Every structure is written in C-alpha cells, then in structure tokens.
Amino acid sequence: MNGKTIVTGVIGADAHAVGNKIIAFALQQAGYKVVNLGVMVTQEEYISAAIETNADAILVSSLYGHGEIDCNGLREKCDEAGLKEIPILAGGNLVVGKQDFADVEKRFMNMGFNKVYPPGTPIETTIEDLDKILGIER
C-alpha cells in the first residue's frame, strides 16, 4: 500500500459495473486504498466518501455518454465541502456522439477536473497520472 486513498465509482444513472470493478482492482494492485462506491453514484456520494475517508483523489467513470452532464458542478461542490485541493479525474465515454476529445477534455478541465481520459485509455495511464499527482514513486 502506498498510503493514498482513491474514491471511485460510476457517476449518474450509469450502471456499467464491470469496468468499475476492473479499475478498482487495478488501483488496489498498484497499491492504492480504494473506496469503490459502485454504480449510479451521485456527486454528493463522492464528496461524502472523500471526506469520510480523507481521500487523496476522486476518480469518476462514465460510459453511457452523459458524464459531462453528471460531472458538471462537481468541482464547485467539492470546494464548498472543503475539498478544494482534491484532484478529480474522469474517464470513459463522457459525452454523447463522436466529438473531438480535445474539445471534451477542454470542457472538463474548465469544470475543474485535473485529468480527463478518452474511451479506451489503459488504466495504467491513469495510475501513472495519479502517481505523479500524489507524489508516488515506484
């Protein structure tokens, strides 16, 4: 264990459970303590779990295309809850239809996310980014 806690789950009405479990397993194998909220998670549930566990980062997954809608306002709610410094990462099929990922990424960054990943991103990429953000040396 590296001493860092990650809160993860699938946001909104999305019920894609398999990928969520794979992500949680990969994070655990990388040494992270994982608080997996499962599927159909609200913004408030991410925030409550992050506060309760003194989490170091929040990782949001979404595959059903409504991630942008579901994630809008999460940073502001984190800030209001005293989580101004917590990194928020998101990945998956975050929008409906085929959109230039650079545009999607820009919108998420403008919403206060620290990292955003397109569909098909290997979890190893996210783990490398978490390591950098949280100062983990391997």
Side-chain angles (χ1 to χ4, degrees):
M1 298 297 277
N2 61 29
K4 302 294 184 183
T5 301
I6 309 297
V7 171
T8 190
V10 182
I11 197 164
D14 195 332
H16 290 91
V18 175
N20 180 55
K21 289 183 180 181
I22 292 170
I23 289 169
F25 179 76
L27 290 169
Q28 289 170 338
Q29 292 302 304
Y32 286 98
K33 178 181 177 187
V34 177
V35 179
N36 185 359
L37 301 176
V39 299
M40 302 179 73
V41 179
T42 66
Q43 291 184 4
E44 290 76 13
E45 289 171 316
Y46 283 101
I47 293 166
S48 293
I51 291 170
E52 290 172 14
T53 63
N54 196 26
D56 297 287
I58 295 173
L59 176 59
V60 176
S61 295
S62 181
L63 287 178
Y64 75 150
H66 298 283
E68 184 173 8
I69 296 167
D70 295 335
C71 289
N72 193 14
L74 179 57
R75 168 54 69 197
E76 289 81 5
K77 288 180 182 175
C78 284
D79 291 352
E80 290 170 8
L83 299 171
K84 289 185 178 183
E85 303 300 322
I86 196 163
I88 307 175
L89 298 82
N93 187 22
L94 299 170
V95 295
V96 175
K98 293 190 179 201
Q99 298 184 33
D100 182 356
F101 182 73
D103 294 337
V104 174
E105 181 178 35
K106 184 176 180 183
R107 293 197 303 267
F108 270 79
M109 299 303 269
N110 286 339
M111 290 192 311
F113 282 71
N114 299 81
K115 288 283 182 181
V116 186
Y117 304 98
T121 301
I123 187 61
E124 291 82 5
T125 301
T126 306
I127 290 170
E128 288 175 12
D129 288 340
L130 280 168
D131 288 351
K132 288 179 193 168
I133 291 169
L134 301 176
I136 304 294
E137 293 186 25
R138 299 206 180 261

